[in-house]
Amino acid sequence: MPRKAATASLADQHAAPGGAAAVDRALSLLGCFRAGEAGLSLAELAERSQLYKSTALRLLASLEHAQLVARGADGRYALGSGVARLHAVYLSSFSLQAQVLPVLQQLVARTQESAAFHVRQGDQRLCLYRVDSPQVLRDHTKAGDLLPLDRGAGGRVLLAFAGQRGRVYEQIRREGVCALSGDRTAELSGISAPVFGAAGELVGALTLTMPTPRYRPATQQPAVQAAAAQLSAALGHLEG
């Protein structure tokens, strides 16, 4: 009988309810690879996944057969061509709107304020998607509107995570969020957090806006950050 590990592997710690343990463990090996790494040795994969080398080796043989990993001449493993094929299939069927709008709708339902997703467009920012607050008093930005890049929480987040210099932007990068009152328009306030893609790239800024009298950063800011993290995860971003 195989030895029972003294410490549960990562796959065992995060097993899918009702799933297959072998599949969970194989997928945990795929999750060990990181951008910028040329390849990983068997020892490195076993250490990262907390699997026995013998177990990892058997699973890698199956993954290699499915072309999900490839073993180089030096014995190190890298992701295989099968991953690229699956990625191409995923991209062909991917809809950013299908990922963004449900998160915005949930955020609006939770906060009762307006939520939007902004992307950079040259020296401005584009409101790509928008869900309005159910309250009568709100700002009237619409999807498709162009807004300043250097004013407003969403614009400042886009600048900060594009590497803009300055104490304000350094603080936004450090805290992972921007909360401002009256920065773009005196009567409006906003809270924004960055959304990242699978490769760690900045995809956009998720922003909550409200009339300044309803600005409650103590409760609204955590909601925005949670929504941005949820959307980043849906886009394949892994917290490092």
Side-chain angles (χ1 to χ4, degrees):
M1 293 180 63
R3 292 179 298 164
K4 183 177 177 62
T7 303
S9 69
L10 293 181
D12 294 334
Q13 294 173 38
H14 304 285
V23 176
D24 286 335
R25 291 170 185 171
L27 293 175
S28 76
L29 286 170
L30 293 178
C32 291
F33 294 97
R34 298 288 183 268
E37 295 178 332
L40 296 173
S41 67
L42 175 61
E44 289 170 327
L45 285 164
E47 180 181 2
R48 290 188 183 185
S49 63
Q50 297 177 19
L51 292 168
Y52 285 121
K53 287 183 183 179
S54 58
T55 301
L57 189 60
R58 291 195 301 272
L59 294 170
L60 286 165
S62 293
L63 292 171
E64 188 174 7
H65 179 71
Q67 298 183 322
L68 295 176
V69 300
R71 189 180 184 186
D74 60 357
R76 298 174 73 83
Y77 293 87
L79 292 178
S81 60
V83 174
R85 182 186 66 80
L86 291 173
H87 184 247
V89 172
Y90 169 73
L91 287 179
S92 68
S93 61
F94 178 79
S95 167
L96 184 61
Q97 176 175 303
Q99 303 294 330
V100 173
L101 281 181
V103 175
L104 296 183
Q105 289 163 351
Q106 292 167 19
L107 183 58
V108 172
R110 179 177 176 180
T111 64
Q112 299 294 291
E113 301 298 350
S114 299
F117 183 77
H118 298 105
V119 296
R120 184 167 183 170
Q121 187 164 314
D123 293 329
Q124 295 177 295
R125 57 183 162 118
L126 171 68
C127 178
L128 197 58
Y129 303 111
R130 160 90 179 195
V131 176
D132 288 332
S133 165
Q135 304 190 68
V136 175
L137 184 61
R138 57 176 174 81
D139 74 293
H140 292 276
T141 302
K142 304 181 298 297
D145 285 353
L146 287 171
L147 301 168
L149 190 61
D150 61 347
R151 294 195 306 280
R156 293 190 182 275
V157 161
L158 292 174
L159 283 174
F161 288 90
Q164 184 76 16
R165 295 181 180 180
R167 187 165 54 186
V168 170
Y169 299 106
E170 291 170 1
Q171 180 178 349
I172 294 171
R173 286 191 289 270
R174 185 171 59 252
E175 296 179 353
V177 68
C178 177
L180 295 170
S181 179
D183 188 52
R184 179 168 66 90
T185 303
E187 296 79 11
L188 295 176
S189 298
I191 302 170
S192 185
V195 174
F196 300 103
E201 76 282 11
L202 178 67
V203 177
L206 189 152
T207 307
L208 190 73
T209 56
M210 69 291 296
T212 296
R214 297 205 302 262
Y215 179 56
R216 303 286 186 273
T219 55
Q220 294 161 341
Q221 181 172 311
V224 171
Q225 290 180 280
Q230 177 187 346
L231 182 52
S232 293
L235 298 179
H237 178 66
L238 298 175
E239 292 290 341

